[in-house]
Amino acid sequence: MSKYYGVNEIRTKFLDFFKRKEHYIMKSFSLVPKNDNSLLLINSGMAPLKPYFTGQEKPPKNRVATCQKCIRTGDIENVGKTARHGTFFEMLGNFSFGDYFKREAISWTWEFLTVDMGLDKERLYPSVYLEDDEAFEIWNKEIGIPSHKIYRFGKEDNFWEHGSGPCGPCSEVYYDRGEKYGCHKENCTVGCSCDRYMEVWNNVFTQFNGDGKGNYTELEQKNIDTGMGLERLAVVVQDVGSIFEVDTIKALLDAVADTASTSYNKDPLKDISLRLITDHIRSCTFMISDGIMPQNEGRGYVLRRLLRRAARHGRILGIDKKFLSGLAARVIDMNKEAYPELNDRKDMILKVIAEEEERFYKNIDNGLGILSQMKEELRRSGGKVLDGKDAFKLYDTYGFPYDLTKEILEEDGYVIDEEGFNAEMEKQRKKARDARKGTNYMGADVTVYQKIPADIKSEFTGYDSLKSRGKIITAVSDDEIVQALTVGERGTIITDITPFYATMGGQSSDKGIIYNDEGKFIVEDCIKIQGNKTGHIGYVKEGLLRTGVFVQLEVDAVKREETCKNHSATHLLHKALRNVLGKHVEQAGSLVEADRLRFDFTHFLALTQEELKKVEDEVNTEIRMALDVKTDIMDLDSAKKTGAMALFGEKYAENVRVVSMGDYSKELCGGTHVKNTSDIAAFKIISENGIAAGVRRIEAITSDSVRNYYENIEIMLNEAANELKTTPSNIAERIRGILDELKMIKSENESLKAKLAKESMGDASDRITDIKGIKLISMCVENVEMNELRNLGDGLKEKTQGGVVVLASKVSGNVNLMVMAGDAALKNGADAGKIIKEIAPIVGGGGGGRPNMAQAGGKNPENIEEALKKAKEILQMQLK
């Protein structure tokens, strides 16, 4: 048997092994896909490396190895129910981009598994694609595996392709874990669905280009894409039953069990909850560390769903307190060496989880109340099936788990219209799918930009100059690469040198012109294209521009200057927010334009006016301090040691730009900035609001926009003063006087309405009837609003000596209903809330309330008398 290695040791040994094989070791990419709308979350080791496989970007080296954090939610409903399923995992991978191929890949697979991991050679079984004789020969003749131990599988198992594009055969390696994990069937062998033979390694040999119709051509550049689940390998190395029993995950699961005062493998139902919580809190911790926040759509919805499922199963285990943030702290401590970003953002991660857990518990309580009302409606109508739309509303709007709705209903003999619920769920899924573009082998559908040769690059000169001379390398129309663009045509121009900043990092792009003696091109937008290319988007205003010629490129200096002011202001704002609110504040997004800035940040409460003033004052102080803005290029580790702040979930190159504003602010940033903070002139916060759970947004302006802002306020102030017949300095006093007048008029109006209501009622004493010793007044009055109807009811209740008052009023074609029950009536079983629920539908409405007072509205005044008659019948049934 192999030597015991922990999860963290296996990860290190794998990366060290391939470092010895001259691979460039890349850090894990963020779980948030970059420039790939086809993926919600990174779900494989290969996913973030797509641009290298497609040739749109050149890898840092032709040999790369990674340990990539991944999340898959396709089997989320089975997580916990089995020991196999999980959402978060780490994928070990080694990749070759046109370098080594099958011989080296297979040889290193065998070497790592048998030498570095020490796995028993006799228990390892490779598989190859049915027609891949080359891989079979390598395993058999070079590695020495007997032919009867090499399994040939067909396309379904051992050929990797998705639609059209690069594809190829696979070679997997299985490990025989022994009979104790098997199904004990006579034909149990490699490929059996039981847990005995576990796949631990998969080599994908990308050697063909498929047309999606079964036709294949040989690729000139052959690639290796290797995937190996870290947790799976740990299961084999540690000889445990499942991923939930490997060292780090089991330690977390035990912490969950301790919190619930239970233990694993004692109660199958509790084990489901223990596994689910363990898996989900791992996913949530890593997702939040990469900048994903709980929301109602997209990847934020995935996070919210995982958190709520975990909290729900905490309740199932009997945990009656907030507990998820404590578990997240354990996840951080166990993984911070491999993923330091977890520890860097620990405070923020724990706060987001605690806030969302608290919100969920409130939703559960609200949901129980709403579900109770739905059950009551079913009882009254005699139905047994809850409408699927109602169940989905509980699930989607109130965060109330579907399984909990189902469970509670079944306890009382009701069921859910599952077909209707699933139909609503499918609408939501379609909406999510439509938000992403269609996919092919490598993700998003190929665009015309991806047809541009990978070796084309654009050198950015815009940090130092707003004018450059460059050569047009490529021109693109809407759907094809062209040799020229002529007058009136829209398109994209790519040059070898450009001073134009492309939209990136929240900063909007430059605008300007590209021209020579032959033509003039108006640049309306600039985008970053895969492979370090800048696309200048716009139209030809004069003549034509063609590829291969030199042009002048000029950036709109005014727009760039104003944009720089706003961008530099966001750095000052970020620092001021951390100083005023706390170190948990992280940038969660930004938009920098010429006329405004928008800054999203992690925080959990609305800012008070005092906090906003402190932030604004601090930014303006640093502007007045006239701090020099300096840019340095350094390696990432050195930059972090200087204290430079990195952006949430951003993947940085080895060398980064550090933008410093005196000793006040220091951030990693690729954008453009002012030379001195005094250039910003002034800073003003316009608004602050929440945009998602734990994320706030500030909108602000700088420089001339601040002056324009106050000039507009002055104009509006003068206009208001003119309307009020006063001066600007006396507006507040004038408004207070008007409000006092309105208050007095309102009081007089209410008194008049009360008088009219009493007059319309006549002598209510004539309307008193006796039901089982309880006095009832039931009557209709004209044109009395709900507030006054309540006042009338209070007065009439005294006449009934603790009895019941039922009032209806016709107002503008609608109905107001009100029922009140006094102490005597209540003691004898009267319930105003139940009466109103029964009679409101008669007048085409609905409502509710407490036993002593309830109200409703309706749209059918012609049925008022019927409703009053029904109220009397209900009261008679209620009274003892």
Side-chain angles (χ1 to χ4, degrees), residues 669-696:
C669 181
T672 62
H673 290 274
V674 297
K675 297 189 183 318
N676 187 283
T677 59
S678 63
D679 296 336
I680 302 171
F683 173 82
K684 174 65 184 172
I685 295 175
I686 300 302
S687 67
E688 187 273 342
N689 61 286
I691 60 168
V695 181
R696 310 292 302 175

Side-chain angles (χ1 to χ4, degrees), residues 528-599:
K528 204 72 177 173
I529 300 171
Q530 280 184 338
N532 199 27
K533 309 172 185 62
T534 297
H536 307 84
I537 299 174
Y539 65 95
V540 180
K541 186 176 182 180
E542 300 172 7
L544 67 82
L545 288 175
R546 53 194 171 88
T547 59
V549 301
F550 285 91
V551 288
Q552 291 296 125
L553 299 97
E554 292 187 10
V555 172
D556 181 333
V558 174
K559 182 183 184 300
R560 167 70 80 84
E561 181 184 6
E562 296 304 312
T563 303
C564 286
K565 292 174 183 178
N566 284 329
H567 196 161
S568 297
T570 64
H571 284 224
L572 298 178
L573 174 60
H574 190 183
K575 181 66 174 179
L577 285 166
R578 286 172 68 89
N579 287 346
V580 173
L581 303 178
K583 301 305 178 189
H584 64 277
V585 169
E586 294 265 6
Q587 180 172 338
S590 68
L591 174 66
V592 178
E593 297 182 326
D595 60 346
R596 68 186 179 117
L597 66 92
R598 190 177 74 203
F599 190 80

Side-chain angles (χ1 to χ4, degrees), residues 283-313:
S283 290
C284 294
T285 303
F286 277 91
M287 290 173 77
I288 297 168
S289 78
D290 282 340
I292 299 170
M293 290 288 143
Q295 294 184 26
N296 285 330
E297 59 185 9
R299 59 184 67 96
Y301 181 75
V302 174
L303 172 63
R304 172 162 280 166
R305 187 180 179 196
L306 294 176
L307 278 170
R308 289 178 171 180
R309 280 169 62 86
R312 154 78 174 134
H313 278 265

Side-chain angles (χ1 to χ4, degrees), residues 651-841:
K651 188 71 179 179
Y652 291 98
E654 282 192 10
N655 291 320
V656 294
R657 295 179 80 243
V658 178
V659 177
S660 304
M661 299 181 184
D663 295 327
Y664 180 74
S665 168
K666 188 171 291 188
E667 289 191 27
L668 306 185
C669 181
T672 62
H673 290 274
V674 297
K675 297 189 183 318
N676 187 283
T677 59
S678 63
D679 296 336
I680 302 171
F683 173 82
K684 174 65 184 172
I685 295 175
I686 300 302
S687 67
E688 187 273 342
N689 61 286
I691 60 168
V695 181
R696 310 292 302 175
R697 170 173 291 173
I698 279 179
E699 298 202 29
I701 52 177
T702 64
S703 189
D704 289 345
S705 293
V706 177
R707 188 185 69 242
N708 295 337
Y709 172 79
Y710 283 115
E711 284 179 352
N712 287 334
I713 286 179
E714 186 178 8
I715 291 170
M716 288 187 288
L717 200 60
N718 284 322
E719 287 177 353
N722 287 336
E723 290 294 326
L724 294 169
K725 303 293 190 290
T726 187
T727 62
S729 60
N730 290 326
I731 280 181
E733 183 180 345
R734 179 75 179 105
I735 290 175
R736 281 192 292 270
I738 292 173
L739 290 175
D740 287 341
E741 289 177 26
L742 287 174
K743 187 176 179 181
M744 185 171 62
I745 292 169
K746 183 179 179 182
S747 177
E748 291 173 354
N749 190 36
E750 292 296 327
S751 297
L752 183 58
K753 283 202 284 186
K755 182 180 177 183
L756 291 172
K758 287 178 181 178
E759 289 176 355
S760 71
M761 190 171 57
D763 188 358
S765 301
D766 297 339
R767 302 295 186 99
I768 296 177
T769 57
D770 188 287
I771 300 177
K772 295 183 181 180
I774 297 299
K775 290 183 171 58
L776 166 69
I777 292 179
S778 176
M779 59 189 302
C780 176
V781 293
E782 294 288 335
N783 295 317
V784 178
E785 299 287 355
M786 189 61 77
N787 285 342
E788 197 49 48
L789 208 59
R790 284 196 294 271
N791 293 334
L792 284 177
D794 287 334
L796 292 175
K797 199 162 59 171
E798 295 179 9
K799 293 181 180 294
T800 65
Q801 298 172 346
V804 176
V805 176
V806 181
L807 294 178
S809 175
K810 289 185 286 187
V811 182
S812 303
N814 291 316
V815 181
N816 291 328
L817 284 177
M818 192 275 307
V819 180
M820 286 183 173
D823 291 341
L826 291 171
K827 287 177 183 178
N828 280 275
D831 188 318
K834 291 180 179 178
I835 293 173
I836 208 80
K837 281 188 177 181
E838 293 283 349
I839 67 173

